[in-house]
């Protein structure tokens, strides 16, 4: 079709002109008009644009990708949402929002964890859920790892309360301080079996586990089930795009590898997720979505607001067009294998096709003995076993070590070659950070260290 061909070439020419004007690319190949991915891959991950001295900024790249997609309509993000439909529970019309708020019976103040859950329900991050689980679905997820409708779910998404006055049929105005965030129609109120929940979800019932401690001491007596309607986005110091917004920035018909973290990104992390693009099951031209959780985690973790600053400085320092950075309003449970499934479901909804599973992912140690609650590869094995049903692929993280002779290599390679391995524990790193000691640059990026010290 001559018209389509001309439109394709015109779009590529326009994109090339913009890139040339910005001084950030040498040229675009004329062959992209007939390539499998076409303009999208050229702008996002084409080899000719990877090694330029000043790579295109993520904002400019995303703008061009969306413009080209709107013009050419050559494809869509590979990953389909969990359950088949990406939910969007946000009310758009102001009259509808006003009516929903006016119908509420009482205010319900959300704590930090609940606020994360409400946001992910409203924006579709927890698709196919449309609200907090009722008792039947709650029990099904606890016992069978899936909803009564059949879809997998790693951890039950519940709303807790101690308020005796709340009854089924009431509508709650869910608040962040003075700001309305959502309206919930209470469909059920039940007393959960928390001991059973902890045993099934976390594998243990001891308070030495941070997740068990949270369920036992922070959550209220009752769980409330029911659908929600979003009326506002939470106020946060770090921006959290919706799944639909993130999908709009990702290159189409391309493998997207998700990297989950809850700590600042250090050298080993960076090596890990960039090398993941070379995995055998990741197609040529794949990209990485670094998607840190910035909600509540363990008590001794670095606060989300500070972690966000470390990610931002590193994003600007590296400026790698193969790496996308977004932030997730998720509250960690430290549930090991079950949480790995939860993370995969969420990243699937955000448009990812692959998920990096690290050693002892979402694991934790006993607050008394220091022993690990999960085996080093339990999460990897569990995720791999469930990946086909989820429609995602796992990318096991490499066990990387730093050597004097060859920099970062796999531990097996270092052992076989007899290389000298450098070691620095997280505990020692934090001690050096507090003391103002020099942090070796093989371990941490200087820019990240500066942010951590400035916000200590």
């Amino acid at each position: 079709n001559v018209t389509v061909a001309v439109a394709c070439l015109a779009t590529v020419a326009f994109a090339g002109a913009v890139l040339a004007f910005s001084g950030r690319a040498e040229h675009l190949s004329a062959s992209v008009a007939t390539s499998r991915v076409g303009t999208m891959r050229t702008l996002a991950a084409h080899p000719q644009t990877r090694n330029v001295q000043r790579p295109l900024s993520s904002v400019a790249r995303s703008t061009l990708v969306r413009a080209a997609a709107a013009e050419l309509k050559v494809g869509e993000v590979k990953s389909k949402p969990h359950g088949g439909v990406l939910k969007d529970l946000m009310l758009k019309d102001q009259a509808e929002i006003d009516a929903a708020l006016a119908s509420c019976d009482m205010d319900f103040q959300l704590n930090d964890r609940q606020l994360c859950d409400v946001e992910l329900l409203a924006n579709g991050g927890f698709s196919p859920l449309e609200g907090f689980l009722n008792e039947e679905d709650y029990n099904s997820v606890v016992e069978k790892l899936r909803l009564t409708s059949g879809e997998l779910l790693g951890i039950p998404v519940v709303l807790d309360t101690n308020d005796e006055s709340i009854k089924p049929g009431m509508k709650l105005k869910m608040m962040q301080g003075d700001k309305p965030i959502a309206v919930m129609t209470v469909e059920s109120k039940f007393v959960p079996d928390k001991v059973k929940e902890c045993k099934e979800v976390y594998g243990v019932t001891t308070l030495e586990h941070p997740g068990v401690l949270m369920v036992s001491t922070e959550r209220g007596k009752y769980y409330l089930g029911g659908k929600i309607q979003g009326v506002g986005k939470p106020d946060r110091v770090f921006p959290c795009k919706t799944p639909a917004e993130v999908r709009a920035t990702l290159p189409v018909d391309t493998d997207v590898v998700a990297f989950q973290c809850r700590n600042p990104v250090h050298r080993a992390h960076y090596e890990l997720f960039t090398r993941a693009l070379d995995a055998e099951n990741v197609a040529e031209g794949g990209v990485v979505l670094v998607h840190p959780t910035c909600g509540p985690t363990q008590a001794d973790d670095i606060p989300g607001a500070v972690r966000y600053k470390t990610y931002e400085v590193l994003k600007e320092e590296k400026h790698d067009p193969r790496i996308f950075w977004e932030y997730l309003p998720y509250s960690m449970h430290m549930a090991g294998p079950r949480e790995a499934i939860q993370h995969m479901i969420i990243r699937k909804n955000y448009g990812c096709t692959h998920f990096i599973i690290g050693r002892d992912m979402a694991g934790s140690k006993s607050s008394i003995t220091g022993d690990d609650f999960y085996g080093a590869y339990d999460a990897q094995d569990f995720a791999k076993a469930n990946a086909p049903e989820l429609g995602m692929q796992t990318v096991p993280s490499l066990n990387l070590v730093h050597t004097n002779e060859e920099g970062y290599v796999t531990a097996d390679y270092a052992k076989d070659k007899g290389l000298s391995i450098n070691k620095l524990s997280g505990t020692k790193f934090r001690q050096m950070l507090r003391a103002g000691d020099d942090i070796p640059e093989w371990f941490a990026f200087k820019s990240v260290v500066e942010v951590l010290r400035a916000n200590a």
Side-chain angles (χ1 to χ4, degrees), residues 325-336:
W325 300 75
E326 301 295 348
Y327 305 103
L328 183 70
Y330 176 82
S331 170
M332 290 291 296
H333 293 255
M334 314 312 297

Side-chain angles (χ1 to χ4, degrees), residues 182-425:
V183 171
M184 176 181 178
T185 301
V186 181
E187 298 172 5
S188 63
K189 182 179 183 179
F190 58 97
V191 178
D193 185 341
K194 291 185 178 180
V195 175
K196 182 178 181 180
E197 177 184 343
C198 290
K199 180 62 177 176
E200 296 295 333
V201 174
Y202 302 104
V204 295
T205 57
T206 173
L207 295 178
E208 299 167 40
H209 189 294
V212 175
L213 183 66
M214 179 272 293
V215 171
S216 303
T217 65
E218 294 181 22
R219 281 188 180 167
K221 176 181 178 181
Y222 302 103
Y223 286 175
L224 305 175
K227 294 183 178 181
I228 72 161
Q229 296 171 299
V231 298
K233 288 191 67 174
D235 292 326
R236 301 188 183 280
V237 297
F238 47 90
C240 293
K241 291 180 182 176
T242 68
E245 290 170 339
V246 171
R247 283 171 167 265
T249 69
L250 297 173
V252 303
D253 196 28
T254 300
D255 285 352
V256 180
V257 183
F259 178 71
Q260 143 70 22
C261 59
R262 69 175 206 278
N263 293 304
V265 171
H266 294 313
R267 294 276 184 182
H269 299 123
Y270 192 84
E271 292 288 334
L272 189 154
F273 63 69
T274 53
R275 296 187 190 199
L277 294 177
D278 297 324
E280 292 182 355
N281 62 340
V282 177
E284 176 68 24
V287 299
V288 172
L289 174 64
V290 182
H291 205 203
T293 56
C294 291
T297 59
Q298 295 187 107
D300 60 346
D301 280 348
I302 294 170
V306 177
R307 280 182 277 130
Y308 162 66
K309 294 178 182 178
T310 69
Y311 303 136
E312 285 294 291
V313 297
L314 190 56
K315 177 176 70 173
E316 291 305 313
E317 177 181 332
K318 290 300 182 180
H319 229 49
D320 189 335
R322 301 172 304 165
I323 302 173
F324 292 69
W325 300 75
E326 301 295 348
Y327 305 103
L328 183 70
Y330 176 82
S331 170
M332 290 291 296
H333 293 255
M334 314 312 297
R338 298 264 301 219
E339 190 148 29
I341 300 299
Q342 201 85 337
H343 281 295
M344 290 176 71
I345 290 170
I346 294 170
R347 282 9 183 268
K348 177 180 171 70
N349 288 328
Y350 274 85
C352 298
T353 57
H354 295 65
F355 189 71
I356 299 173
I357 303 287
R359 285 167 53 89
D360 195 24
M361 181 189 171
S364 59
K365 299 178 183 295
S366 166
S367 58
I368 297 176
T369 65
D371 294 337
D372 291 319
F373 282 108
Y374 311 110
Y377 300 101
D378 286 356
Q380 287 188 11
D381 294 341
F382 197 61
K384 188 174 182 179
N386 287 280
E389 182 176 349
L390 283 174
M392 289 191 77
Q393 297 187 54
T394 61
V395 181
S397 65
L398 298 172
N399 184 15
L400 297 176
V401 295
H402 187 270
T403 65
N404 292 327
E405 298 86 354
E406 299 188 33
Y408 277 99
V409 298
T410 64
D412 290 341
Y413 179 87
K415 182 179 179 181
D416 292 342
K417 295 292 185 179
L419 304 179
S420 302
I421 298 176
N422 295 310
K423 293 183 179 181
L424 180 62
S425 69

